[in-house]
Amino acid sequence: MVRARPGAGNVAVKYIPIATEQTGIFHPSPAHRASRVGNQGVEAVSTTALISFFETVSNDLASPDFGPDEISVGAHVSVDHLAPARGDESVAITAILEKQQGKRLEFDLIAMQGETLVMRGKHHRAVRHRERFSDASKTIGKVADGMDFWFDFHSPWCYLVSHRIGGIARQFNMQVNWKPVHLANLIQAVDGRRPLESNSRFLAWYLQDLQDAAALQGLPYCPHHDYPKRPSRALRAAMYAQDRGLAEPFVRAIMKGYWSGQQDISDLDWLKLVADSVGLGGDELAGAALADEYKNRLNQNLTHAVKQNLFGLPAMVAGGKIFLGNDRLDLLRHFLSARPPHLGVQNGPRPGRSAV
């Protein structure tokens, strides 16, 4: 069920099932330690950093159900910090939607480090129209630079990264350039990695590792029964979504449908339904998926990927460096946290902004 905002055109927020939950895994950097916010000598993760992790998971849980011109902002937080979180170990944050009143969302949250309950609390977010914050964003500062995220729907690892890369970029006040490219063509062009053609022992480990990684992120994983499906139409459609600033919700929805919902990424009718659900015109997107313009642009992306020395996916390129794979996001985060502020990257979470 969808309730439209009075006077806000087609902007709407869906009702999200109560008890919907999502878990995010966070790898603290030195910038997240208490010593960096004035508590000298305390190398545990700071309370403010854990709260920022709470914000990120809560927002990521709800954001797929926002209208195309909606965002959420923090409205209330109360926490009990129960145990120190080591600065060199990952923290698992679980958000559970407890209540929804119109555009106000209330979450229960817990932070675990191994078997230790580190923090628990309540967090409220309010869904608002993006335009209300357009002027405020000018005073906060424009996005100074961005990173390229190269992906193909053919890759399950791209599925996992597509649900993390936006949060990482927002932590560092950066923009993600969603760059679709046909993985098979890239591999052929550069004689790249072919893990599914490796020996049987490696392949068995690889498939188990993939399932474990999806479970760690709290993402369902059930590959399409007729994998692989041809990805070209979906890749062109993703370029259309990027042109209109809606690549993240569109790509995430397509990835999830393909890798956990048995959806066919070559089916134009399904692509149209997803487009409509995220605020893109389904008919227009279907036209782009078949248009020569987007066929040519997808070929241009392949040429660009080869020139950037890419040899596999998912690949993130920031500051001229390549970070390949879901398991290299920690290195990407460390690289971004070490960059000086004048290059547009914040060292540590900002008050009032989501952080990963």
Side-chain angles (χ1 to χ4, degrees):
M1 180 177 181
V2 177
R3 176 182 294 172
R5 179 197 307 275
N10 294 324
V11 177
V13 59
K14 298 177 182 177
Y15 285 100
I16 305 168
I18 300 304
T20 296
E21 67 176 75
Q22 181 159 321
T23 298
I25 306 299
F26 297 83
H27 306 276
S29 72
H32 293 129
R33 297 179 183 179
S35 59
R36 292 293 186 93
V37 292
N39 201 350
Q40 297 299 320
V42 179
E43 298 306 317
V45 180
S46 70
T47 301
T48 54
L50 290 170
I51 290 173
S52 71
F53 298 163
F54 276 10
E55 282 203 78
T56 295
V57 178
S58 301
N59 184 67
D60 285 350
L61 182 155
S63 60
D65 294 301
F66 295 166
D69 294 319
E70 289 183 323
I71 60 171
S72 75
V73 294
H76 169 79
V77 63
S78 62
V79 300
D80 293 313
H81 199 158
L82 303 171
R86 290 172 52 86
D88 57 355
E89 293 183 10
S90 62
V91 180
I93 306 293
T94 299
I96 304 170
L97 182 65
E98 181 183 45
K99 187 177 182 181
Q100 180 175 1
Q101 291 182 315
K103 295 182 179 296
R104 189 176 182 90
L105 308 171
E106 301 181 9
F107 301 89
D108 284 325
L109 296 113
I110 60 170
M112 301 290 296
Q113 192 169 68
E115 300 297 320
T116 302
L117 177 60
V118 173
M119 179 181 282
R120 64 187 174 200
K122 304 279 188 181
H123 179 47
H124 300 177
R125 299 192 70 79
V127 181
R128 295 290 182 260
H129 198 280
R130 190 182 303 276
E131 289 181 358
R132 290 186 57 181
F133 296 87
S134 59
D135 291 335
S137 66
K138 296 176 183 177
T139 63
I140 294 173
K142 297 180 179 179
V143 173
D145 56 356
M147 70 175 83
D148 292 339
F149 169 44
W150 293 88
F151 67 93
D152 186 355
F153 296 107
H154 177 79
S155 165
W157 297 108
C158 290
Y159 163 45
L160 302 188
V161 172
S162 70
H163 284 73
R164 298 177 64 187
I165 193 64
I168 293 174
R170 285 185 286 273
Q171 175 189 355
F172 297 104
N173 195 29
M174 299 181 76
Q175 176 178 312
V176 179
N177 303 313
W178 296 72
K179 308 279 284 188
V181 65
H182 200 299
L183 176 59
N185 291 347
L186 174 63
I187 290 174
Q188 183 176 2
V190 301
D191 194 23
R193 301 171 69 244
R194 297 176 174 86
L196 295 182
E197 297 177 16
S198 300
N199 66 69
S200 59
R201 292 183 178 185
F202 175 86
L203 182 57
W205 168 85
Y206 175 89
L207 295 175
Q208 182 61 63
D209 190 53
L210 177 57
Q211 293 176 16
D212 291 343
L216 186 64
Q217 275 187 237
L219 289 174
Y221 177 72
C222 181
H224 194 282
H225 63 274
D226 194 25
Y227 173 85
K229 306 299 290 185
R230 296 181 64 84
S232 297
R233 289 178 175 178
L235 292 172
R236 297 176 205 136
M239 300 186 78
Y240 178 85
Q242 168 72 12
D243 289 346
R244 281 146 186 82
L246 291 170
E248 182 172 4
F250 179 76
V251 171
R252 285 172 55 160
I254 296 296
M255 289 284 192
K256 198 165 188 178
Y258 184 44
W259 286 104
S260 69
Q262 298 292 310
Q263 297 292 345
D264 182 352
I265 54 174
S266 66
D267 183 349
L268 277 180
D269 289 335
W270 180 63
L271 295 179
K272 289 166 63 175
L273 288 174
V274 175
D276 287 333
S277 74
V278 301
L280 289 164
D283 290 336
E284 291 81 0
L285 178 133
L290 300 175
D292 288 340
E293 174 192 353
Y294 285 92
K295 292 179 182 179
N296 293 335
R297 287 177 57 184
L298 189 59
N299 289 332
Q300 291 169 7
N301 268 11
L302 174 61
T303 300
H304 187 198
V306 172
K307 288 182 177 179
Q308 286 205 342
N309 295 319
L310 301 186
F311 56 92
L313 300 177
M316 290 64 66
V317 181
K321 294 190 69 173
I322 298 171
F323 300 86
L324 184 74
N326 184 60
D327 57 350
R328 292 299 184 270
L329 292 181
D330 288 349
L331 293 179
L332 171 65
R333 189 183 287 107
H334 177 74
F335 170 72
L336 296 176
S337 68
R339 298 176 68 195
H342 73 272
L343 292 180
V345 176
Q346 292 294 318
N347 288 315
R350 290 183 173 185
R353 293 182 63 89
S354 298
V356 175

